[in-house]
Amino acid sequence: MAPFRRCLGALVHSAHTLSTRRLILFLASILLLSTTLLLFTPSLTTISPSQLPAALPAALSAHIPSVPFPFGGPAIHAPPKALTNSTRSTDRWFGSYHWLSNPFSSALTADTRIALPPQLERCTVHTYYTTPTNATQAAADDAMLLTWRRAWWAAGFRPLVLGEGEAQRHGLYDEVYRARQRLSPELHTELLRWLAWARLGAGVLADFRVLPMGPADDVTLAALRRCQFRGASRFRGFDKTLYTGDTAAVEAVLRSVVAHPPAADVASIEAAAPAELLREEARPAALADYSDAAKKYPGLAAADLHKLVNAHLHATFRSHYGSGISILSPFSSSFNAVHHAALLLAHRLAACPPSPLPTSCPPHLQTCTSCTKAAAIHSPPTYTNASSTFLLATVPHPMLTLELTTHDLSLLRDDAAKSVRWLRRSAPRDPWVRAVTADIVTAGAGNAPRLVALKAAIAAPPGEKPLSLWATDATAGTVFGNDAEVAWTLGFSLPGVEKLGLELPVAPAEQVVAVEGVGKVVKLGKGGKGKGKVLGVVEGWCMGDTEAWRFVDAWSARRRAVRMEWSKGERRFGVGLGEEEK
């Protein structure tokens, strides 16, 4: 204690002998140094042993702990939240379990929002990808990743592309890295895939060349979509390309392989993990694995793989609807302008898909029929719940329906007072809804059963076979005509109108003027000058047609909003992006 007291006394004496000026300079120097460190030291992440120089001895690197890394790392996905049924709402719609119990949304809310079915969270399907050094292969992979993302999204899933950044955040990463010299390179890569997958909460792990290619109501797809997994599973015929599992089971497989490394020639999780921890399931009939495409399609260039897969997706879609494509046309001669966008899409869907190998079959099919002619296109005046056709339907605003079907008066050109008198005395009530439901609802029935039948068809659950795609006169150009929107909705891109050489009849000019004029009035709303009062009377008189129009408008808007929200979050990862996402 005596030496310590003498040292302390010397420090106190030195402090007393410092002049005030020197003390201020000393403290200012300390403050400047601290500020410099705070401003110019970047935020810290961690560096793992894999980022150490390759020449560092393994025996030494195994004992070096994770240390702060000052330059940041790659963008990574955050672990997901628990799946719940969502009732998200906006100023245009709200989710309600009672959306079908009352045909009119006004009975469920005091405002003008539309009641939609609750929005179900999508099960996440993950893939693991590291960009190769070969630029040509990287470009081919990027196109394939986009095809993979679109197909899984259209099938009702939430696709995510993972990388080593997610794997590095797993607690077992350092152990896997230290064991790499005892493992084959293939197994080491597989373990990184599983680490990234486990970090994100497990669920479904698929190679980016495994895609859903079957009916939406397939039992395997339905089971995957429920996202309720117990234990880890692999699938017969999908070695190293498809797994499912809950987090605990995936972690158990990882810990088992890390604790008991297999022989150096073992190249897969299937061979390394105990059978009791990774059970084998039956071969899924609705999934196609193109990971071995070089052998199955020997004449195919790597850069054309995504084109072949897209063609197979399109051909598979066509095969589900043997009777072709239908365009709902209750007033066909008067509605050419209304149905023009749907007619263009129908021809693109009906066409044979362009393919680098036109006579090839998807890898999960032994035989298939090559496309030799376009599918049939029909224009039924009424809606029928036929599973052999795919229906495209454009719902017109009731003001547009009356404008195009009434010949002795124009709601756009005539005096507002005259239009209101005609509406109250002579206008038909809900002409569009009554016309399209004539074959599915008893004659003389009111609006309630008609609206219920239509809404159930429009908002079919994701587990059911899609039988239709709906738009309004205001959104048909986007829903039916926007290439990116169509590709994300259906799961594949379509040949362009120019490539098909289509020469469709031009809609009469007066119909085009009516569509544009009513669109402007509806956009201004009931409070708009001029025709705002007429619009209010039309919507009050034709409540059924108005409800159908607003329901389809809200349904397609929410579908797009959900996708755009997910797409915005994926944009920063920079792989497999469409042009509209970049």
Side-chain angles (χ1 to χ4, degrees), residues 51-340:
Q51 293 164 303
L52 293 169
L56 194 65
L60 178 59
S61 66
H63 298 286
I64 296 180
S66 297
V67 295
F69 182 59
F71 302 111
I76 62 168
H77 295 89
K81 299 178 181 179
L83 290 177
T84 58
N85 289 336
S86 173
T87 55
R88 300 176 196 171
S89 63
T90 68
D91 57 353
R92 295 174 63 184
W93 67 78
F94 67 98
S96 172
Y97 288 103
H98 304 289
W99 68 282
L100 212 53
S101 62
N102 195 302
F104 292 98
S105 300
S106 57
L108 302 175
T109 180
D111 51 38
T112 60
R113 293 180 300 163
I114 285 290
L116 296 177
Q119 181 187 324
L120 300 179
E121 294 289 348
R122 292 166 172 257
C123 185
T124 303
V125 55
H126 311 82
T127 196
Y128 183 87
Y129 179 74
T130 55
T131 305
T133 55
N134 185 298
T136 302
Q137 185 61 49
D141 289 350
D142 194 67
M144 188 61 218
L145 282 164
L146 174 59
T147 303
W148 179 86
R149 292 174 67 234
R150 283 194 306 221
W152 281 103
W153 180 266
F157 295 83
R158 178 174 172 262
L160 294 184
V161 181
L162 310 181
E164 192 170 355
E166 284 82 8
Q168 289 174 349
R169 268 62 178 183
H170 194 283
L172 289 176
Y173 178 78
D174 286 353
E175 293 185 45
V176 170
Y177 178 79
R178 287 194 291 267
R180 73 191 187 286
Q181 293 185 339
R182 304 192 303 272
L183 305 172
S184 65
E186 296 83 1
L187 181 57
H188 180 250
T189 301
E190 284 298 294
L191 290 174
L192 292 181
R193 290 177 63 203
W194 277 58
L195 288 175
W197 180 35
R199 165 70 180 173
L200 267 291
V204 182
L205 177 64
D207 188 279
F208 69 96
R209 291 154 297 190
V210 171
L211 301 94
M213 201 173 290
D217 54 0
D218 175 80
V219 291
T220 301
L221 288 179
L224 296 179
R225 203 178 286 113
R226 284 193 295 271
C227 217
Q228 298 173 353
F229 305 110
R230 297 293 182 269
S233 299
R234 60 189 180 93
F235 293 82
R236 189 176 305 122
F238 284 75
D239 294 341
K240 301 175 66 174
T241 58
L242 182 64
Y243 306 95
T244 61
D246 61 279
T247 305
V250 173
E251 294 277 3
V253 172
L254 282 169
R255 294 185 182 279
S256 174
V257 175
V258 172
H260 308 286
D265 59 346
V266 173
S268 67
I269 290 285
E270 288 89 339
E276 63 271 16
L277 294 181
L278 185 61
R279 63 176 179 268
E280 184 182 69
E281 303 287 355
R283 185 186 186 97
L287 297 178
D289 183 2
Y290 288 84
S291 62
D292 202 22
K295 293 181 179 180
K296 186 169 182 61
Y297 310 103
L300 182 69
D304 289 336
L305 176 59
H306 74 283
K307 298 177 183 178
L308 178 68
V309 174
N310 189 81
H312 288 169
L313 287 166
H314 187 176
T316 300
F317 176 89
R318 280 172 37 107
S319 70
H320 295 159
Y321 308 98
S323 297
I325 313 297
S326 295
I327 302 172
L328 188 59
S329 307
F331 309 105
S332 57
S333 60
S334 302
F335 273 47
N336 290 337
V338 177
H339 298 147
H340 187 70

Side-chain angles (χ1 to χ4, degrees), residues 203-553:
V204 182
L205 177 64
D207 188 279
F208 69 96
R209 291 154 297 190
V210 171
L211 301 94
M213 201 173 290
D217 54 0
D218 175 80
V219 291
T220 301
L221 288 179
L224 296 179
R225 203 178 286 113
R226 284 193 295 271
C227 217
Q228 298 173 353
F229 305 110
R230 297 293 182 269
S233 299
R234 60 189 180 93
F235 293 82
R236 189 176 305 122
F238 284 75
D239 294 341
K240 301 175 66 174
T241 58
L242 182 64
Y243 306 95
T244 61
D246 61 279
T247 305
V250 173
E251 294 277 3
V253 172
L254 282 169
R255 294 185 182 279
S256 174
V257 175
V258 172
H260 308 286
D265 59 346
V266 173
S268 67
I269 290 285
E270 288 89 339
E276 63 271 16
L277 294 181
L278 185 61
R279 63 176 179 268
E280 184 182 69
E281 303 287 355
R283 185 186 186 97
L287 297 178
D289 183 2
Y290 288 84
S291 62
D292 202 22
K295 293 181 179 180
K296 186 169 182 61
Y297 310 103
L300 182 69
D304 289 336
L305 176 59
H306 74 283
K307 298 177 183 178
L308 178 68
V309 174
N310 189 81
H312 288 169
L313 287 166
H314 187 176
T316 300
F317 176 89
R318 280 172 37 107
S319 70
H320 295 159
Y321 308 98
S323 297
I325 313 297
S326 295
I327 302 172
L328 188 59
S329 307
F331 309 105
S332 57
S333 60
S334 302
F335 273 47
N336 290 337
V338 177
H339 298 147
H340 187 70
L343 183 61
L344 286 176
L345 179 57
H347 279 279
R348 297 173 70 189
L349 283 171
C352 291
S355 171
L357 300 174
T359 60
S360 64
C361 296
H364 64 307
L365 299 180
Q366 297 296 325
T367 59
C368 63
T369 302
S370 300
C371 181
T372 57
K373 64 178 182 178
I377 297 177
H378 313 279
S379 300
T382 61
Y383 172 78
T384 55
N385 192 22
S387 62
S388 60
T389 60
F390 186 75
L391 177 72
L392 301 175
T394 305
V395 181
H397 189 277
M399 186 172 179
L400 180 59
T401 301
L402 295 176
E403 178 68 17
L404 292 176
T405 57
T406 304
H407 303 292
D408 54 352
L409 178 138
S410 172
L411 297 178
L412 289 174
R413 296 188 300 272
D414 287 344
D415 178 75
K418 178 181 178 181
S419 298
V420 170
R421 285 196 302 272
W422 177 81
L423 286 167
R424 290 174 175 170
R425 296 176 181 177
S426 306
R429 175 163 284 179
D430 301 321
W432 189 87
V433 166
R434 289 181 177 275
V436 300
T437 57
D439 288 345
I440 59 174
V441 177
T442 305
N447 285 334
R450 299 178 188 275
L451 284 174
V452 168
L454 283 179
K455 286 186 175 183
I458 294 165
E464 295 183 4
K465 179 182 179 181
L467 299 176
S468 56
L469 182 61
W470 300 70
T472 67
D473 55 284
T475 62
T478 299
V479 176
F480 297 149
N482 184 286
D483 287 349
E485 191 69 20
V486 171
W488 285 104
T489 301
L490 300 178
F492 51 90
S493 60
L494 292 171
V497 175
E498 299 80 7
K499 190 170 185 178
L500 294 177
L502 295 178
E503 295 183 3
L504 301 180
V506 179
E510 61 272 16
Q511 292 185 18
V512 176
V513 170
V515 171
E516 294 175 350
V518 171
K520 293 177 181 177
V521 173
V522 174
K523 188 174 182 179
L524 291 174
K526 300 176 186 178
K529 295 181 180 181
K531 297 299 180 179
K533 183 178 180 180
V534 176
L535 176 67
V537 175
V538 168
E539 292 185 348
W541 181 251
C542 299
M543 293 179 63
D545 279 12
T546 301
E547 179 75 14
W549 185 89
R550 293 176 61 218
F551 184 86
V552 171
D553 183 65

